[in-house]
Amino acid sequence: MSRPSYGRFPAHLAVLALAAGLRFYRLGEQSLWADEGNSAALATRSLFRIAQDAAADIHPPLYYWLLHLWCQLFGNSEVALRSLSTIVGVGLVYIIYLTGRRLQSEQMGLAAALIAAINPLQIYYAQEARMYTLLGWWSGLALYTLTLYILHEGDGHRRPTLGVAALLVITLAGGLYTHYMFPAIIGAINALYLLWLWDSRRRGDVFERMIWWGGLHLLALLLFLPWLPIAQRQLAVWPRPPMQRDFAQSFGAALITLSLGPVGYEQPDWAWNTVFALWALLGLWPHVRPTR
């Protein structure tokens, strides 16, 4: 009698388990800090009151609405409040895996997901009761949706499928209702799409494809329209922090923070910046080889 075959354990599930373990580890070890306390206070209020209070804040209301519903199910302890970000953070690792797999291969998806799973910045904010991991989720989903959109066009289609179109609209609107910096992500995916449009111009239908792409963005903006006057007002009156670094210092601090997390970035080390620059050049190498 032969033994049953159960197949191999999917490698991406192992990466997701690692991501979950790192993000849930000691999740409630520290008490809430000031901004997390603000999140906890808002989560106890009604959805309408949350919208009113967020209108006087520098963050849109979507994260607070979700946290309110989350706390209705799981309570308002430190672990409960932070676990929403933790679950979303694991979901972001999965989105990164899907993007790498669709762009190139299963191995690429696994490598990208593993880097995201152990990334200190992602782990740090996945353990905070704040909206930054949700912003990362919408950003990752925007890139994944762009990937699906372009691959579908690359197969010779002039217009997106209903599912991809709906996903793009929901992603754009969700990001706008989560953080006021999300327009920078919209700008990035639009730059990538325009590069694709230019690269694929020989197959024609450029104007029609632009109409579809722009129309879906307009639909997302219409969903955000009720909050747009509030966003414009708050961004205009909210005090800006004083600039204390020049561009080189800020850029170096950003590289270290994105790679190592929000520790030790007050004085960026030139050695780390050199390592990051070498990795970037290595990543670009396949795209500049003469045989490409």
Side-chain angles (χ1 to χ4, degrees), residues 277-290:
L278 290 175
W279 274 110
L281 291 175
L282 184 61
L284 290 173
W285 174 247
H287 301 283
V288 296
R289 288 178 302 173

Side-chain angles (χ1 to χ4, degrees), residues 31-47 49-51 53-54 57-72 75-78 80-85 125 127-134 178-179:
S31 60
L32 302 177
W33 71 288
D35 284 0
E36 287 184 304
N38 183 53
S39 298
L42 283 172
T44 63
R45 301 166 189 172
S46 68
L47 297 178
R49 178 65 187 278
I50 289 173
D53 293 341
D57 194 11
I58 194 57
H59 297 297
L62 180 58
Y63 169 77
Y64 300 124
W65 285 338
L66 294 177
L67 189 63
H68 168 84
L69 299 176
W70 188 265
C71 290
Q72 296 295 309
N76 57 358
S77 66
E78 285 89 348
L81 285 163
R82 290 168 177 159
S83 60
L84 174 59
S85 294
Y125 282 110
Q127 294 188 330
E128 273 206 353
R130 298 295 288 165
M131 70 292 299
Y132 304 115
T133 297
L134 184 61
T178 297
H179 202 282

